[in-house]
Amino acid sequence: MHAVILAGGKGIRLRPYTTALPKPLVPIGDQHAILEIVLRQLAACGFTSCTIAVGHLGQIIRAYVGSGSRWGLTIDYAIEESPLGTMGPLLTMRDRLPESFLVMNGDVLTDLDYADVLRRHVASEAALTIATYARKVHIDFGVLTTDENRVVGFREKPSMDYRVSMGVYGLSLGTLDGYTPGLPLGFDELVLDLLKHGNPPHAYEFDGYWLDIGRPDDYDRANAEFTTHQSLLLKGA
């Protein structure tokens, strides 16, 4: 099984931590970087190879990860000369990718079974599988429903339940047909194109532990929770 890790972003929302380090290498706990945890998890799930898309401070990631042999992985790299969006880097490495593979952000902390996501993707025969997570948002205002300047509904400080993308996907190589290598391609654009053409993605619903380390508050929470969740996140790794 093969995975692609997207690690080329600048991590602007996580500054100042990412001023000198790429976001996937910020430390979690006393001994680990986010990317190391992800690589150990992939190896424990049975993945044997991985391509890491690097850009901002990519040389530091390459120096840290190397060939991947210490995790039992064969790792190569794709270099982003300019920002290509979430899915754009995949277009530059098509000749290195198998028919079905996993794609994930390099800053995800979760106990998701990556191998099961890929297996379910292959079984579904979908063009794209999106790992999803349940979220609840509390709105601190009274919410009005209006129609032609008339209030026709009212809810006082409601909560909204919805599912979000976890930043982990199963992808089929043919899904990238028709897109131009070297041009940006966002996850949103790909999903909207699939919906437009009547080829909806498959949803992989997950309700375990997941934290997207996008902001300083998320990073602080990850470090605060890591001791408690270490055995969960690194089980079998």
Side-chain angles (χ1 to χ4, degrees), residues 115-161:
D116 192 53
V117 175
L118 187 53
R119 284 193 294 265
R120 294 269 292 275
H121 169 70
V122 172
S124 73
E125 299 184 349
L128 172 69
T129 294
I130 305 170
T132 71
Y133 195 81
R135 285 287 200 188
K136 181 186 290 286
V137 171
H138 299 282
I139 301 175
D140 293 330
F141 303 95
V143 175
L144 305 173
T145 303
T146 62
D147 181 21
E148 295 184 352
N149 298 321
R150 295 169 54 243
V151 176
V152 296
F154 175 76
R155 290 177 294 163
E156 175 63 19
K157 298 181 179 178
S159 295
M160 295 179 60
D161 296 294

Side-chain angles (χ1 to χ4, degrees), residues 37-48 68 71-73 114 236-237:
I37 294 170
V38 168
L39 292 172
R40 292 179 65 177
Q41 290 175 323
L42 288 171
C45 285
F47 285 80
T48 57
W71 299 289
L73 295 166
Y114 297 120

Side-chain angles (χ1 to χ4, degrees), residues 10-28 34 107 212-220 223:
K10 294 184 177 181
I12 293 174
R13 291 184 301 156
L14 201 57
R15 288 177 178 169
Y17 300 113
T18 52
T19 301
L21 281 177
K23 184 162 63 168
L25 292 188
V26 295
I28 298 293
I34 301 172
D107 58 354
D212 175 24
I213 304 175
R215 301 168 303 176
D217 286 351
D218 301 321
Y219 179 56
D220 292 342
N223 274 288

Side-chain angles (χ1 to χ4, degrees), residues 2-86:
H2 186 79
V4 176
I5 299 177
L6 305 171
K10 294 184 177 181
I12 293 174
R13 291 184 301 156
L14 201 57
R15 288 177 178 169
Y17 300 113
T18 52
T19 301
L21 281 177
K23 184 162 63 168
L25 292 188
V26 295
I28 298 293
D30 296 329
Q31 304 178 36
H32 306 285
I34 301 172
L35 184 56
E36 179 207 347
I37 294 170
V38 168
L39 292 172
R40 292 179 65 177
Q41 290 175 323
L42 288 171
C45 285
F47 285 80
T48 57
S49 59
C50 178
T51 300
I52 303 180
V54 296
H56 176 66
L57 301 177
Q59 72 279 7
I60 301 178
I61 293 176
R62 297 185 67 167
Y64 179 85
V65 174
S67 67
S69 59
R70 60 178 147 156
W71 299 289
L73 295 166
T74 300
I75 293 179
D76 63 359
Y77 299 88
I79 300 174
E80 282 187 69
E81 301 294 348
S82 60
L84 295 174
T86 305

Side-chain angles (χ1 to χ4, degrees), residues 13 20 43 58 76 78 87 92 98 102 148 158 168 179 221 229:
R13 291 184 301 156
D76 63 359
M87 295 297 178
T92 67
L102 189 82
E148 295 184 352
V168 180
Y179 296 101
R221 176 184 166 190
H229 292 87

